[in-house]
Amino acid sequence: MWRAAGLTVRAEQRYATFTRLWVGERPLKVELAQDSPYRLVPSSHVSLTVDGMPIRSLIDRAADKTWALFGRADTRDFVEVYLLRQRYELSQLMDWAREKDPGFDRDGFIRALVQAEKVQPHQVMLLVPVDWDHLRLTFRQAALRPDREARAANEEGRP
């Protein structure tokens, strides 16, 4: 459609349920996403409501926030997952994100974690204090952990 109109189109990210494109000479970011209607905890099992509307469970919100970090890797995404890690292991967050949306890619998520080095504290307003150095360190270590585990498995002859 855009190319037919004579515009340049460059794909930056492509996954089963998400694509980020840059369109035009002065590129405009276009993100196409298919949100998952699937809920890990059905709304019939969640008792919280606001104005009669059911609120997604914390588990569903955690999966959504993990997916957001994977797809966007903005400062706010790192803060949200950093705070969720006070309650849940990163492996659990990844499992929930994958269960909720099969387009979630563990390797792509690990690559996104490296972007924590570029967080911009001035981009977010927080209600709780965040130790930015610790946030960066936490995600740097999490990104390195699967690498170490894969190397150890290769050295032991495991797949």
Side-chain angles (χ1 to χ4, degrees):
M1 163 176 84
W2 292 303
R3 286 189 177 108
L7 297 171
T8 59
V9 178
R10 181 178 59 84
E12 180 179 277
Q13 292 181 345
R14 286 183 187 231
Y15 302 103
T17 58
F18 176 83
T19 301
R20 178 177 295 140
L21 305 170
W22 294 94
V23 179
E25 295 304 316
R26 290 180 41 206
L28 173 70
K29 179 172 61 171
V30 176
E31 295 180 335
L32 307 169
Q34 176 185 353
D35 284 341
S36 173
Y38 176 74
R39 298 288 179 249
L40 297 169
V41 178
S43 39
S44 61
H45 292 85
V46 178
S47 59
L48 294 175
T49 62
V50 172
D51 294 329
M53 299 286 293
I55 304 298
R56 284 183 278 172
S57 70
L58 182 56
I59 291 171
D60 278 294
R61 295 295 298 153
D64 294 342
K65 297 301 181 180
T66 304
W67 227 104
L69 193 155
F70 164 65
R72 199 174 39 210
D74 283 345
T75 297
R76 66 182 176 173
D77 304 320
F78 282 102
V79 170
E80 290 165 340
V81 172
Y82 176 73
L83 295 174
L84 283 165
R85 289 203 63 229
Q86 294 175 2
R87 180 175 271 194
Y88 305 111
E89 292 292 325
L90 193 59
S91 61
Q92 180 65 71
L93 296 173
M94 289 189 293
D95 288 347
W96 286 334
R98 176 84 175 149
E99 182 180 345
K100 190 161 184 177
D101 189 328
F104 182 84
D105 176 65
R106 183 177 182 268
D107 293 335
F109 182 72
I110 299 303
R111 285 191 299 276
L113 294 181
V114 175
Q115 299 302 311
E117 295 298 326
K118 299 177 183 177
V119 296
Q120 301 292 320
H122 67 275
Q123 290 181 342
V124 293
M125 290 179 45
L126 301 173
L127 299 176
V128 296
V130 169
D131 180 337
W132 293 99
D133 291 331
H134 187 259
L135 180 146
R136 289 181 186 97
L137 176 64
T138 297
F139 287 113
R140 184 180 326 119
Q141 289 174 336
L144 293 174
R145 189 170 306 118
D147 257 0
R148 289 192 305 265
E149 291 170 2
R151 279 195 304 270
N154 285 339
E155 291 169 5
E156 294 174 12
R158 292 183 285 150

